[in-house]
Amino acid sequence: MNQVDRFKTLPDNARVQALGNLFKYNDRKTWDIGVRIENSTRKSLKFSQLPYLSRQVVLNQTTAAIPLGFPIEFSLPDRAFWQTAMIKDCGLVKFKAGDEQFQKCFVFESTGKTIYLPQLELARALFFTNNYLANAALVNSALDYEFYVDNKPINDDEDFPLDLVINALPTTLCPKVLFDNEGFKHQIAWILLNNDIKNSFNSIYQHFSHELVKASNFQRWTFRFDPPQLEGVKVVARGWKSPDESTWFLNRIELLDGLFFPDIADIGYSHPSSTENKSGSGKGKRGTYPQLPTQREINEESDGSEDNESALIFCDMTQRIYNRVPRTRKVYAKPRKNPGGKGDEDKSSTLPPDVSTDDPSSRGDTPRAAVDGLDDLTENAHLYINKFDSFFKMLEILEKEHAIKQSKAIIRKLPAVGRSKSHLMADWSPRCMAIVRIEYQNEGYYLLEVDTSDGRASIATKVISARALALKGQLRDFISEIEQGLLSNQFSWPKIFLDELVGESSHKSVSHQQAKKDGQQSAAEIDSWMSRFFTKISQW
């Protein structure tokens, strides 16, 4: 694993050895957490920095580092069989300093092993993959005050009707940039729409408020929460093990596979900062910073400023897979006012080197950042296959009229590249690409078709000779580079790369009419597209 951003006051390759209690001095607004770090005298970091923090994780890496410990995979048992213990009961953690030994664990049996799972580590993997949710967990009913779920939305799109809309309210501290992230959209819906998951999240504050220990000048708390039902969820983790491997202590969860998502097909998302573009001068939001291609330094002590939308910074990803996920799209609360003709992506991306992970406050003077530590691996590109309706109709005509054979289509979501939002449709849904292999007169061709039905771009269908490609390998070996080149090259096919890959004469483009909506074209437009396509391959 390789941390992207640096902590300003920590040394290079700073290994986290232990995590302790949460605490806050009475003259401070934000909460800290006790942290013991190898080769550093620092004894705490901010609780909002928890997405970065697991035992044996290395911060400020100068070379890629894997956390110490042994890999383990297992399935979680029914919650009814979980018990509670402290780290000291395990006997596998040798670090004795601070409050480490008194931190709470869940203990259960799985595949013949006794597993000690720190409660804070499970909460990090479930909830604290970003700093927004870490901060919100310590506020009473924060999600109820910041989000409203509309179960009877007014549908203005008959091709993408919504079952419900998740509205971030004007009171929300949730950064808009997280709403651009499909993984976060799934996560916040997972919490808000599943009572068991939401109750688990809310239990953090309930225990926090009842168990807080107050002293003359500070307050402290030993983290605890009530876990949701996770029976059958597969866990991939690293940790310590006893010599006979019968007892394990988990340092870090790397993957949760099989999380239950409610059976909801289509969800809309609305954020107050995305309803309109405001013009004018004076103090105001000074731009969004969707993704940062260069390294930033996290100021461990600073408060977040109110004067900027959050930048997006990255930490080691915790992977997750749901049993299902919905289609998602952006919803505007009211028509956008855009007198300048430019969208959010054109705002300034200038940002000072230091960033804060805390929520905005009047005392803050450091641009705030949203931490992205979630890698949602749930496969859902097939949900958007209807976007290619005209493309498949064109192929059907080719089959009937010219005896062309086609394979089953593969639908891929395009990746994020740099600060560009080209991988997202105008409604925030993923921009997808369809890949189909066809056969004509004993020759094979790969067809690459990108969804541009939102009108943001126009791009021809790419046709690649399968015979020429076979000399270099399989398409799957190169598709990632093709996608990267497509999105980083002003939304055009990477000609130089394809020339080198298969030769200039072995890939061609077939133009077609821009689809007006959701991949739909008229019968005449489809027929014209088919004719141009057949002419191109028959003259190859």
Side-chain angles (χ1 to χ4, degrees):
M1 293 188 289
N2 187 18
Q3 298 282 2
V4 176
D5 299 283
R6 295 181 58 84
F7 284 74
K8 187 173 183 178
T9 64
L10 295 183
D12 289 344
N13 302 313
R15 186 178 295 278
V16 177
Q17 294 179 307
L19 296 172
N21 289 332
L22 279 69
F23 66 94
K24 182 180 79 69
Y25 290 102
N26 293 339
D27 62 346
R28 297 292 303 274
K29 176 183 177 181
T30 56
W31 284 83
D32 291 345
I33 181 171
V35 178
R36 294 304 176 98
I37 296 174
E38 189 176 31
N39 299 326
S40 174
T41 58
R42 190 173 186 92
K43 295 184 179 180
S44 68
L45 291 170
K46 289 199 170 190
F47 187 69
S48 62
Q49 290 151 3
L50 193 65
Y52 288 87
L53 304 180
S54 296
R55 291 169 179 82
Q56 303 307 319
V57 160
V58 178
L59 308 176
N60 291 1
Q61 295 178 20
T62 58
T63 58
I66 297 176
L68 295 177
F70 303 94
I72 181 175
E73 297 184 13
F74 61 92
S75 294
L76 291 168
D78 188 304
R79 178 177 53 188
F81 299 105
W82 296 25
Q83 298 179 325
T84 300
M86 290 187 286
I87 287 180
K88 67 177 183 178
D89 300 323
C90 174
L92 294 176
V93 178
K94 306 305 180 185
F95 196 87
K96 306 293 184 182
D99 303 313
E100 168 79 344
Q101 292 287 317
F102 298 95
Q103 297 307 303
K104 291 181 170 60
C105 294
F106 295 119
V107 185
F108 45 79
E109 303 289 326
S110 181
T111 60
K113 301 178 176 64
T114 300
I115 296 173
Y116 286 76
L117 170 56
Q119 294 197 17
L120 183 61
E121 175 57 20
L122 178 59
R124 184 201 62 78
L126 292 174
F127 305 123
F128 304 150
T129 57
N130 60 75
N131 50 324
Y132 164 71
L133 287 174
N135 289 329
L138 302 184
V139 178
N140 186 23
S141 301
L143 300 186
D144 291 328
Y145 289 114
E146 298 193 23
F147 296 95
Y148 166 67
V149 179
D150 183 357
N151 290 293
K152 296 181 179 180
I154 298 174
N155 276 302
D156 58 357
D157 189 335
E158 62 183 18
D159 296 311
F160 198 150
L162 297 173
D163 295 313
L164 56 87
V165 174
I166 294 177
N167 299 280
L169 298 173
T171 53
T172 191
L173 295 176
C174 179
K176 182 177 74 70
V177 71
L178 287 178
F179 262 47
D180 292 343
N181 184 314
E182 189 178 37
F184 175 77
K185 287 187 286 187
H186 292 160
Q187 183 184 29
I188 196 66
W190 177 68
I191 296 173
L192 293 175
L193 304 179
N194 186 319
N195 286 334
D196 185 42
I197 302 299
K198 188 176 180 183
N199 289 339
S200 176
F201 182 84
N202 288 339
S203 74
I204 297 170
Y205 178 81
Q206 293 166 2
H207 288 296
F208 169 73
S209 60
H210 290 125
E211 300 164 4
L212 198 61
V213 177
K214 298 183 179 181
S216 58
N217 64 338
F218 73 97
Q219 305 171 64
R220 62 176 173 83
W221 176 55
T222 302
F223 185 89
R224 183 159 75 98
F225 82 117
D226 301 330
Q229 179 59 269
L230 300 170
E231 183 180 8
V233 171
K234 177 184 175 182
V235 178
V236 177
R238 297 187 71 86
W240 306 125
K241 61 182 179 179
S242 61
D244 62 0
E245 300 189 11
S246 64
T247 303
W248 284 74
F249 175 85
L250 303 189
N251 289 323
R252 178 177 175 83
I253 293 173
E254 297 177 344
L255 168 68
L256 295 171
D257 184 356
L259 295 171
F260 176 80
F261 197 97
D263 188 9
I264 299 172
D266 299 300
I267 299 180
Y269 292 82
S270 171
H271 193 284
S273 296
S274 296
T275 57
E276 61 183 353
N277 290 328
K278 297 180 180 180
S279 60
S281 58
K283 183 177 179 180
K285 304 299 181 185
R286 294 202 292 255
T288 58
Y289 313 94
Q291 293 162 324
L292 299 177
T294 56
Q295 194 174 73
R296 301 293 177 185
E297 286 194 328
I298 300 167
N299 191 323
E300 297 93 314
E301 299 177 348
S302 64
D303 293 328
S305 169
E306 294 181 324
D307 292 337
N308 75 288
E309 289 287 354
S310 291
L312 190 63
I313 60 176
F314 303 92
C315 67
D316 288 341
M317 298 289 187
T318 298
Q319 298 176 327
R320 67 172 58 192
I321 300 174
Y322 299 95
N323 64 323
R324 68 172 74 85
V325 287
R327 289 194 304 171
T328 65
R329 70 175 173 92
K330 187 176 186 176
V331 174
Y332 292 112
K334 52 187 174 181
R336 300 189 75 177
K337 298 177 182 179
N338 193 3
K342 293 185 178 182
D344 290 342
E345 63 224 278
D346 296 321
K347 292 180 181 179
S348 169
S349 61
T350 302
L351 190 68
D354 286 7
V355 293
S356 170
T357 56
D358 275 336
D359 287 335
S361 77
S362 57
R363 322 174 27 168
D365 57 2
T366 302
R368 66 190 188 277
V371 180
D372 180 8
L374 177 61
D375 186 10
D376 188 343
L377 300 180
T378 313
E379 179 51 56
N380 71 328
H382 64 281
L383 297 176
Y384 300 92
I385 194 169
N386 66 307
K387 297 281 191 175
F388 299 95
D389 184 63
S390 295
F391 177 62
F392 295 130
K393 287 180 179 177
M394 184 271 291
L395 292 180
E396 288 176 8
I397 298 173
L398 280 171
E399 276 191 317
K400 292 177 181 178
E401 297 189 6
H402 300 288
I404 286 177
K405 298 178 181 180
Q406 61 173 306
S407 65
K408 183 178 179 179
I410 297 172
I411 308 298
R412 290 174 60 93
K413 291 184 292 187
L414 294 178
V417 177
R419 293 196 301 271
S420 171
K421 291 187 180 179
S422 295
H423 68 295
L424 298 174
M425 302 292 283
D427 62 4
W428 287 359
S429 64
R431 189 181 301 279
C432 295
M433 178 169 67
I435 303 173
V436 179
R437 181 187 167 106
I438 65 170
E439 299 283 341
Y440 176 66
Q441 294 185 345
N442 298 319
E443 286 291 332
Y445 306 91
Y446 290 104
L447 315 184
L448 279 57
E449 172 71 4
V450 177
D451 178 14
T452 58
S453 57
D454 60 348
R456 280 188 171 180
S458 178
I459 184 170
T461 307
K462 176 57 65 176
V463 186
I464 301 174
S465 166
R467 181 193 295 269
L469 183 61
L471 297 175
K472 295 291 184 70
Q474 300 293 319
L475 180 61
R476 63 173 177 265
D477 300 328
F478 308 104
I479 193 64
S480 178
E481 290 178 85
I482 293 173
E483 292 171 338
Q484 295 279 333
L486 169 70
L487 296 177
S488 61
N489 192 33
Q490 298 181 349
F491 215 65
S492 60
W493 296 112
K495 183 179 184 304
I496 295 176
F497 175 78
L498 291 171
D499 286 348
E500 295 176 352
L501 180 64
V502 297
E504 187 175 355
S505 62
S506 295
H507 67 95
K508 299 182 180 181
S509 297
V510 181
S511 63
H512 55 81
Q513 181 70 24
Q514 177 82 10
K516 294 181 176 62
K517 185 179 181 182
D518 290 340
Q520 303 294 325
Q521 295 186 10
S522 69
E525 290 169 340
I526 293 174
D527 192 64
S528 176
W529 182 11
M530 182 277 299
S531 297
R532 291 194 303 274
F533 191 94
F534 180 70
T535 298
K536 188 78 70 170
I537 63 170
S538 62
Q539 295 177 352
W540 204 295

